[in-house]
Amino acid sequence: MVHAVIAGWGNVGYHLAKALAQSGINITIVSSQSGKNAYNGQFSDRIKFISDVDLIDGEVDYCFLTLKDDGILQTAKKLPPEVKKNAVLVHCSGVLPADHLGQITERWGLFYPLNSFSKTMDFQWKGVPLFIDAATEKPRIELWELAKSIGARPVKNSDKDREILHIAAVFANNFSNHILHLSHQILEEKGIPFDLLMPLIRTTVEKISHLQPEEAQTGPAKRGDIKTIQKHLEIISDEEIKEVYKILSVSINPELKNKIL
Amino acid sequence: MVHAVIAGWGNVGYHLAKALAQSGINITIVSSQSGKNAYNGQFSDRIKFISDVDLIDGEVDYCFLTLKDDGILQTAKKLPPEVKKNAVLVHCSGVLPADHLGQITERWGLFYPLNSFSKTMDFQWKGVPLFIDAATEKPRIELWELAKSIGARPVKNSDKDREILHIAAVFANNFSNHILHLSHQILEEKGIPFDLLMPLIRTTVEKISHLQPEEAQTGPAKRGDIKTIQKHLEIISDEEIKEVYKILSVSINPELKNKIL
């Protein structure tokens, strides 16, 4: 029976534990007491909680360190010698180099799912890119199979490519989300419900799974419709939102530059 | 049998014709020959094409003018007198006032679906807000029922509110799409496939149907993680993308203002 330790009980640790337990792996979670309370035995009897790495019991095949980037190495160092020696030590960060744990063990691994996790939402692993790397072929193949067994899409690429992907993800996730927040703010100020926009937002995403985003673009900036743009700028009262409106309109259509900036 | 004329064969006209024909309404589409060719009898024998408003035949209950904003009034004026007298003349614009056709008829109506349409993609009307208005109660109720019969979500609000919604939609659709385009560009330059980001993009949208966008925000700007932001700014080579990165990071976290601008 495969046994994995998950150190850390954040959003990634939570969903990883759930998925691995569902594919028949025994899980030991190392977490503070508060994490244990948050769990409440809700998903599987394959999962047990311990409060400290010293309490790890039995042989360990994998140890996933699902911690903040700057705490990973520190926790890995504290692992019991048998775990450090026998288990594959895996980190789940998209920012750190794959061999971040290489200074502790030759059995290092990377298992980084590119998505956004939240304990309060179900997570669908199907098709989610899961970046895999390892020091040697055997654990690399094992981690690859593990990714497939939870329905994810294993991918191998370089540290350099993951760095670029992280920047692209900041746009696709953080910045898109912020744009939606500004949209929400514009409506909220006038008491108009944001859910009226949800079908449009879903279509926006659906479109770019068929077309490139550039081809999918429409709207006043794209059309160079100065009249509408000026009307919008008059109506928007918040200076900061106005600024973002201008910058993004010009970024969509550089010909607007001298006309609205 | 209800008979509707649809003047215009753009993206909205196309999907409206399809939906209305499916709910049992006879449709006459007024369109140039090229529009007729594009149709090819693919969805229903309830739909016929004519090339000019003068060829409208039989009693007309509704005439939907799914044309560019500045062509609506002009085409409405050319309608045969019986149509102008008996039919409810409806426009489908989110920008024009509901009573835009009021100077031609007392039987004006508004039927504006808030979404983004494309002939090359199936359209799901379920839950899509459809803004309804009319000069009098009878056609208002009829248009309301029509919206429901195609699965949409009829909504009544003011011209003022639709104006605000249009601005919010520019953010939610055009600006989000542009951010995704920049993300696409960052990856394309390095030959990294954009589809790796699709699951993350879908999660971003899924999150805001559970949380407000502000609560869903994560990432280096939100955390005030200057080190990562500076690293990203060093890596991004395109000056314009760098500018958007800075402006949006500061918009997410105003404390970054003096640090990265």
Side-chain angles (χ1 to χ4, degrees):
Chain A
M1 181 66 83
V2 180
H3 177 208
V5 166
I6 297 181
W9 189 234
N11 294 319
V12 173
Y14 176 91
H15 285 290
L16 190 60
K18 201 168 165 178
L20 293 177
Q22 273 166 4
S23 39
I25 292 172
N26 282 335
I27 309 285
T28 301
I29 289 162
V30 186
S31 152
S32 64
Q33 192 60 29
S34 62
K36 189 172 176 177
N37 288 342
Y39 166 63
N40 280 332
Q42 63 185 297
F43 39 70
S44 167
D45 53 10
R46 290 191 195 284
I47 297 180
K48 79 170 186 189
F49 274 80
I50 57 173
S51 59
D52 194 277
V53 290
D54 289 335
L55 303 170
I56 294 172
D57 194 20
E59 278 188 31
V60 178
D61 301 284
Y62 305 100
C63 177
F64 294 90
L65 295 138
T66 63
L67 300 150
K68 288 197 175 156
D69 290 353
D70 52 13
I72 291 172
L73 209 52
Q74 202 184 346
T75 301
K77 283 179 185 165
K78 286 189 215 152
L79 289 168
E82 332 67 90
V83 175
K84 266 194 265 193
K85 193 177 154 223
N86 299 320
V88 181
L89 303 193
V90 177
H91 80 76
C92 301
S93 161
V95 178
L96 297 174
D99 65 356
H100 181 62
L101 295 164
Q103 45 186 297
I104 293 181
T105 173
E106 285 182 359
R107 296 168 63 72
W108 56 261
L110 167 76
F111 198 84
Y112 162 58
L114 174 57
N115 214 300
S116 172
F117 295 82
S118 163
K119 281 188 190 171
T120 57
M121 270 174 66
D122 253 3
F123 186 78
Q124 303 303 328
W125 286 89
K126 194 171 169 347
V128 170
L130 221 157
F131 296 94
I132 302 289
D133 209 344
T136 57
E137 201 181 344
K138 188 169 172 282
R140 196 181 301 131
I141 292 171
E142 284 171 9
L143 291 172
W144 193 274
E145 292 304 320
L146 211 55
K148 286 208 280 190
S149 75
I150 61 173
R153 168 186 173 191
V155 180
K156 162 118 180 67
N157 68 1
S158 65
D159 288 354
K160 204 79 207 153
D161 278 3
R162 276 199 312 286
E163 194 166 66
I164 301 292
L165 269 162
H166 188 240
I167 299 177
V170 165
F171 279 80
N173 176 247
N174 306 155
F175 292 169
S176 295
N177 183 73
H178 184 63
I179 293 298
L180 296 173
H181 162 61
L182 297 180
S183 179
H184 182 264
Q185 214 178 306
I186 290 166
L187 293 179
E188 196 176 39
E189 203 179 294
K190 305 287 180 184
I192 303 169
F194 182 66
D195 72 336
L196 289 172
L197 289 183
M198 284 307 298
L200 174 65
I201 294 167
R202 292 213 170 86
T203 302
T204 306
V205 170
E206 227 25 70
K207 258 191 170 174
I208 61 158
S209 35
H210 295 82
L211 297 171
Q212 295 207 346
E214 191 172 14
E215 297 164 338
Q217 192 58 283
T218 59
K222 173 77 174 182
R223 287 195 306 274
D225 178 353
I226 291 281
K227 217 175 106 185
T228 300
I229 292 172
Q230 271 165 349
K231 199 174 166 196
H232 287 174
L233 290 172
E234 276 166 33
I235 294 171
I236 299 169
S237 56
D238 184 297
E239 284 305 318
E240 185 208 301
I241 296 182
K242 208 179 275 201
E243 196 55 28
V244 172
Y245 187 108
K246 286 183 193 173
I247 297 280
L248 290 179
S249 294
V250 170
S251 181
I252 290 171
N253 184 349
E255 287 176 19
L256 295 170
K257 190 160 189 174
N258 300 320
K259 294 171 187 159
I260 63 170
L261 281 189
Chain B
M1 181 66 81
V2 180
H3 177 206
V5 165
I6 296 180
W9 189 235
N11 295 319
V12 173
Y14 175 91
H15 285 290
L16 189 59
K18 202 168 164 178
L20 293 177
Q22 273 167 2
S23 41
I25 293 172
N26 282 335
I27 309 284
T28 301
I29 290 162
V30 186
S31 152
S32 65
Q33 193 60 29
S34 62
K36 190 170 175 178
N37 289 342
Y39 167 61
N40 280 332
Q42 62 183 300
F43 37 70
S44 168
D45 52 10
R46 288 190 197 285
I47 297 180
K48 78 172 186 188
F49 274 80
I50 56 174
S51 61
D52 193 278
V53 290
D54 289 335
L55 302 171
I56 294 172
D57 194 21
E59 279 188 30
V60 178
D61 301 285
Y62 305 100
C63 177
F64 294 90
L65 296 137
T66 62
L67 300 151
K68 287 198 173 155
D69 290 354
D70 52 13
I72 291 173
L73 208 53
Q74 202 184 346
T75 301
K77 282 179 184 165
K78 286 189 213 152
L79 290 168
E82 333 69 88
V83 176
K84 267 194 264 195
K85 193 175 155 223
N86 299 322
V88 180
L89 303 193
V90 177
H91 80 74
C92 301
S93 161
V95 177
L96 298 173
D99 66 355
H100 182 60
L101 294 164
Q103 44 186 299
I104 293 180
T105 173
E106 285 182 357
R107 296 166 64 71
W108 57 261
L110 167 76
F111 197 83
Y112 162 58
L114 175 57
N115 214 299
S116 172
F117 295 83
S118 162
K119 281 188 190 172
T120 57
M121 271 174 66
D122 253 4
F123 187 78
Q124 303 302 328
W125 286 90
K126 192 170 171 349
V128 169
L130 221 158
F131 296 94
I132 302 290
D133 209 346
T136 57
E137 201 180 343
K138 189 168 170 283
R140 198 181 299 132
I141 291 171
E142 284 171 9
L143 291 172
W144 193 274
E145 292 305 320
L146 211 56
K148 286 208 280 189
S149 75
I150 61 173
R153 169 187 173 188
V155 179
K156 163 121 179 67
N157 69 0
S158 65
D159 289 353
K160 204 80 207 149
D161 277 3
R162 274 198 311 287
E163 194 166 66
I164 300 293
L165 269 163
H166 187 239
I167 299 176
V170 165
F171 280 79
N173 177 246
N174 307 155
F175 292 168
S176 295
N177 183 74
H178 184 63
I179 293 297
L180 296 173
H181 161 62
L182 297 180
S183 179
H184 182 263
Q185 215 177 304
I186 290 166
L187 293 180
E188 197 176 38
E189 201 179 294
K190 306 285 180 184
I192 303 169
F194 182 66
D195 72 337
L196 289 171
L197 287 183
M198 284 308 298
L200 174 65
I201 294 168
R202 292 213 169 86
T203 302
T204 306
V205 170
E206 228 25 70
K207 257 191 169 176
I208 60 158
S209 36
H210 295 83
L211 297 171
Q212 295 206 346
E214 193 173 11
E215 296 164 338
Q217 191 60 282
T218 57
K222 174 77 173 183
R223 287 196 305 273
D225 177 353
I226 291 280
K227 216 175 106 187
T228 299
I229 292 172
Q230 271 164 349
K231 197 173 165 197
H232 287 174
L233 290 172
E234 274 165 34
I235 294 170
I236 299 169
S237 56
D238 184 299
E239 282 306 318
E240 184 207 304
I241 296 182
K242 209 178 273 202
E243 196 56 30
V244 171
Y245 186 108
K246 286 184 193 172
I247 296 281
L248 291 178
S249 294
V250 171
S251 181
I252 290 171
N253 186 349
E255 285 176 21
L256 295 170
K257 191 162 187 173
N258 301 320
K259 294 172 189 161
I260 64 169
L261 282 188

